Amino acid sequence: MQIQDLPYPDPGVPDARSGPRFLWWLFRNQLGGQLTSLAWGLLHFASVSALPFCVGLAIQAVVDRSGSRLAVAGGVMVVCCVGNALGDTFLHRSAVTNWITAAARVQQLLARKTAVLGSALTRRVAAGEVVAVSTGDVEKIGWFVEAVSRFTAAALTVVLVCVALVVYQPALGVVVIVGLPVLALAVLPLLPCATRRADVQRDKAGRATELASDTVAGLRVLRGIGGEELFLDRYRTASQEVRHAAVRSARMWSLISAIQVLLPGLLLIAVVWHGVHLAREGRIGVGELVTVYSSVMILTYPLRHFEEIAMAYSFSRPSAKRAARVLSLERATDTGGSRAAEVPTGDLYDPATGLLAPAGRLTAVVCGDPDTAGRLAERLGGHPSEQGVSALLGGVPLDELPLKSARTAVLVQDKDPVLLSGTLRELLDVPASGAVAAEDALAAAQCGDVLAALGQGSLGADDPMDARITERGRSLSGGQRQRLALARSLITDPEALVLDEPTSAVDSHTEARIADGVRALRAGRTTVVFTSSPLLLDRADRIVFLHDGEVAAVGAHRELLHTEPRYRAVVTRETDEESAAHPEVVPAGGEPARPLTGDGRVDDHDGDLSDDVLHRLEEIEETA
């Protein structure tokens, strides 16, 4: 195991049933590194612990005026010093390697889980908690994983030294071997309280991180409504709670540290007192007394690792619990799919609502409930976060396709798309069909002023495409971010493109030009736009109005305004009183939009449905 092996081609499948199980899984997957660290730890601790024996032999040789034994003691001491230097150096190297590889494995697992879950992740876990897990929690998990091998080496060394003392000087060795378990176990009653306080501190710190993350994400809005001070006070309160919890936790750990200093001191006093009496009686030599005394002094060093492992576990357990919670999340459907990888073509249809988007046409969807619209948009992309009926593309259930194939066939742009940091060229360097040039996509999304602003604001960038975009595009306005995200989606040129409120942050003049640009660029391609903007609705080939989660009406924008009061109320933001004042009007020479046929089946709408979709609908209805 080497650091240069990172990232792993396959980080493995974690045991995310609980925090301790996850920690044990990490330990098992680094068994080679742990054994290496254990070996160097044993060399280091054994070399340090052997020094008192060398000193005792040397002192006794001087007392006995034995030059040969003094030379032997000096030689052994040199060997111990070399072993100590080598052991300490490579123990540190292997321990840091274990720490970094454990942390990197967890981060890699979190990154892969984030990529698989997509937007479903933040619906189940707060974004701030994900940030806390991938930063501070990862370090604490790595700390415990690497501390296990050092603790094991320290514990084995303590046992070996105790056995050696009993063999070397039984009278004093018995005192040491009785007193050391007391030292090691004395703090156990305090550990549950220390662990609880550490858990409280981590929970409060996680909530403070979530609050800070959410505040930063909404800073522009907060400034607009003058809510900065309100959220600043909330963060002050949260940070003070973290400080108080950290102080309470530190007090407990300081008490544990004090006990770890006090009890070895008491043991040392007992050993010296008893040893002096034995020496006065002539039962032990001066060198033996010095050896036992020095051994007890040295043993306080490996004993400190008992405190460290307890502290590392107390801090890493809640961190591992949070990481396991994120890693245990699964999509509602298998991302591998049950069909071969293919990119189907044809009509896009959602059986749950009855929404039909004919192939090659621009369909606008109007829905009064934003949550329902968001779930529908996610379902149209295939592999949604919730179980349900699969959307169909050309009669093929998208959930049965591999996730990559489904994403290639249908691209869904969320209501709040994210721009990653980097140059504009890198932002637009996405998997695409190659049929749409970046210049055409930027022009269709009306990004001319955005390019000009990026060119002026980026020093040393002659080409606006080389201008840098800050993290999440915070240096841009909401409308500019929205248009760049739209251009990025247009470049991919998927078989079906689903846009959720793509122009909610732009002015009406720009919105009209975007509508014309998207319509022209996506000619012959299936496009679904969730919107209530009259400018976009007026340019759509067909309008689908959803009410209570089902298709309520289908038709043209102007037609629906006259024939469907509920549609008119959503689009024009009418109140109930205003809606009641408008009688339903049927346009001259036409008839009202018909959402469903008389027998309850989905209307074919003048043959818009392809044969494969009709066949699939009949199967679904017969099953139901």
Side-chain angles (χ1 to χ4, degrees):
M1 178 191 63
Q2 298 293 333
I3 294 179
Q4 56 261 34
D5 296 333
L6 300 173
Y8 293 110
D10 181 13
V13 180
D15 187 348
R17 289 177 291 177
S18 66
R21 288 178 182 271
F22 180 60
L23 291 173
W24 173 242
W25 178 85
L26 285 174
F27 178 83
R28 287 190 292 106
N29 277 269
Q30 291 184 207
L31 191 57
Q34 296 291 344
L35 292 177
T36 301
S37 181
L38 175 61
W40 289 116
L42 285 174
L43 176 61
H44 170 58
F45 291 123
S47 299
V48 172
S49 301
L51 288 175
F53 292 93
C54 298
V55 173
L57 289 175
I59 292 176
Q60 192 63 44
V62 171
V63 172
D64 297 339
R65 299 181 182 275
S66 174
S68 59
R69 283 190 293 162
L70 181 61
V72 171
V76 175
M77 187 176 295
V78 170
V79 173
C80 290
C81 290
V82 173
N84 180 24
L86 288 175
D88 192 19
T89 300
F90 287 97
L91 171 61
H92 179 74
R93 179 185 178 91
S94 58
V96 171
T97 300
N98 287 336
W99 189 334
I100 293 177
T101 50
R105 188 189 294 271
V106 176
Q107 287 182 323
Q108 195 172 347
L109 289 169
L110 290 171
R112 293 198 173 195
K113 179 61 67 173
T114 302
V116 169
L117 292 176
S119 60
L121 176 62
T122 52
R123 293 193 184 100
R124 303 187 191 180
V125 182
E129 183 172 349
V130 178
V131 173
V133 171
S134 59
T135 53
D137 286 340
V138 165
E139 293 185 5
K140 290 178 174 57
I141 291 172
W143 175 28
F144 174 75
V145 172
E146 71 88 11
V148 170
S149 56
R150 288 190 291 111
F151 163 73
T152 305
L156 290 176
T157 301
V158 170
V159 173
L160 291 175
V161 171
C162 289
V163 173
L165 286 176
V166 171
V167 174
Y168 178 72
Q169 180 45 252
L172 289 177
V174 171
V175 177
V176 176
I177 205 170
V178 170
L180 281 178
V182 176
L183 297 184
L185 302 177
V187 297
L188 286 182
L190 300 178
L191 289 180
C193 181
T195 301
R196 287 194 299 271
R197 293 190 180 187
D199 291 348
V200 171
Q201 178 192 352
R202 294 300 304 156
D203 290 340
K204 290 185 179 296
R207 286 196 291 270
T209 303
E210 294 174 21
L211 180 60
S213 176
D214 295 340
T215 302
V216 171
L219 189 58
R220 187 186 297 271
V221 177
L222 291 176
R223 286 176 175 172
I225 63 176
E228 296 170 86
E229 288 300 324
L230 173 62
F231 276 80
L232 185 59
D233 289 340
R234 290 183 181 178
Y235 184 73
R236 283 198 189 100
T237 302
S239 63
Q240 289 300 312
E241 291 179 356
V242 174
R243 183 178 68 83
H244 290 306
V247 169
R248 294 185 74 246
S249 179
R251 285 174 179 168
M252 183 56 65
W253 287 113
S254 64
L255 176 60
I256 292 175
S257 298
I259 293 175
Q260 291 286 331
V261 173
L262 174 64
L263 293 184
L266 295 178
L267 176 62
L268 192 61
I269 293 173
V271 169
V272 171
W273 180 81
H274 186 54
V276 168
H277 280 283
L278 293 177
R280 290 176 62 183
E281 294 174 0
R283 297 171 58 183
I284 65 172
V286 175
E288 293 174 325
L289 176 61
V290 172
T291 298
V292 176
Y293 169 80
S294 301
S295 297
V296 175
M297 286 284 293
I298 292 294
L299 281 178
T300 59
Y301 172 54
L303 280 174
R304 300 294 276 175
H305 289 75
F306 286 71
E307 175 192 348
E308 182 191 8
I309 194 66
M311 183 181 294
Y313 181 72
S314 297
F315 279 91
S316 66
R317 190 173 62 86
S319 297
K321 180 180 178 181
R322 277 194 294 269
R325 176 170 174 252
V326 175
L327 294 175
S328 65
L329 299 176
E330 297 291 344
R331 297 192 67 90
T333 54
D334 180 15
T335 57
S338 58
R339 290 174 176 256
E342 61 174 313
V343 181
T345 60
D347 300 337
L348 182 61
Y349 178 71
D350 176 50
T353 60
L355 169 67
L356 168 72
R361 299 177 68 180
L362 175 60
T363 301
V365 180
V366 178
C367 181
D369 184 2
D371 293 335
T372 300
R375 289 192 295 270
L376 174 56
E378 183 187 29
R379 195 161 57 246
L380 290 177
H383 297 270
S385 59
E386 300 176 356
Q387 282 285 4
V389 182
S390 173
L392 312 175
L393 181 62
V396 178
L398 291 172
D399 287 0
E400 297 180 6
L401 295 174
L403 182 60
K404 184 176 181 180
S405 299
R407 292 291 181 264
T408 303
V410 183
L411 174 66
V412 178
Q413 178 178 302
D414 292 334
K415 187 177 301 183
D416 185 21
V418 175
L419 302 183
L420 301 179
S421 59
T423 64
L424 181 57
R425 194 183 308 278
E426 293 170 341
L427 174 70
L428 301 180
D429 184 16
V430 293
S433 66
V436 178
E439 295 76 10
D440 297 334
L442 290 168
Q446 300 300 308
C447 294
D449 63 319
V450 183
L451 295 177
L454 288 174
Q456 294 175 0
S458 298
L459 298 177
D462 298 330
D463 188 348
M465 296 293 290
D466 295 324
R468 293 199 63 81
I469 298 175
T470 58
E471 186 260 339
R472 295 183 68 91
R474 298 192 190 281
S475 60
L476 304 173
S477 67
Q480 290 173 330
R481 291 197 300 270
Q482 205 170 52
R483 282 177 282 165
L484 285 179
L486 176 59
R488 180 179 58 187
S489 299
L490 293 174
I491 288 176
T492 60
D493 189 38
E495 179 65 27
L497 176 61
V498 179
L499 305 172
D500 192 358
E501 296 288 354
T503 59
S504 59
V506 301
D507 60 83
S508 58
H509 297 289
T510 305
E511 188 177 32
R513 293 194 296 270
I514 290 176
D516 293 333
V518 171
R519 181 182 177 87
L521 192 65
R522 292 287 299 173
R525 293 294 228 178
T526 306
T527 307
V528 179
V529 181
F530 287 82
T531 184
S532 59
S533 168
L535 291 172
L536 288 176
L537 296 172
D538 196 41
R539 287 163 173 78
D541 294 322
R542 62 194 313 235
I543 309 294
V544 178
F545 173 60
L546 299 180
H547 183 71
D548 290 338
E550 295 182 352
V551 173
V554 178
H557 170 58
R558 299 177 186 274
E559 177 186 3
L560 291 176
L561 283 176
H562 290 84
T563 60
E564 180 55 66
R566 295 170 297 182
Y567 173 84
R568 182 173 60 245
V570 173
V571 173
T572 63
R573 277 74 169 178
E574 286 183 343
T575 63
D576 294 338
E577 292 77 8
E578 291 173 334
S579 299
H582 293 288
E584 185 171 330
V585 180
V586 177
E591 60 182 34
R594 294 172 290 110
L596 301 173
T597 57
D599 59 359
R601 294 178 177 267
V602 179
D603 194 354
D604 189 355
H605 301 297
D606 300 324
D608 284 338
L609 283 170
S610 59
D611 294 336
D612 52 358
V613 173
L614 284 172
H615 179 67
R616 181 68 179 177
L617 292 179
E618 291 173 357
E619 292 179 349
I620 293 174
E621 291 170 354
E622 290 173 358
T623 302

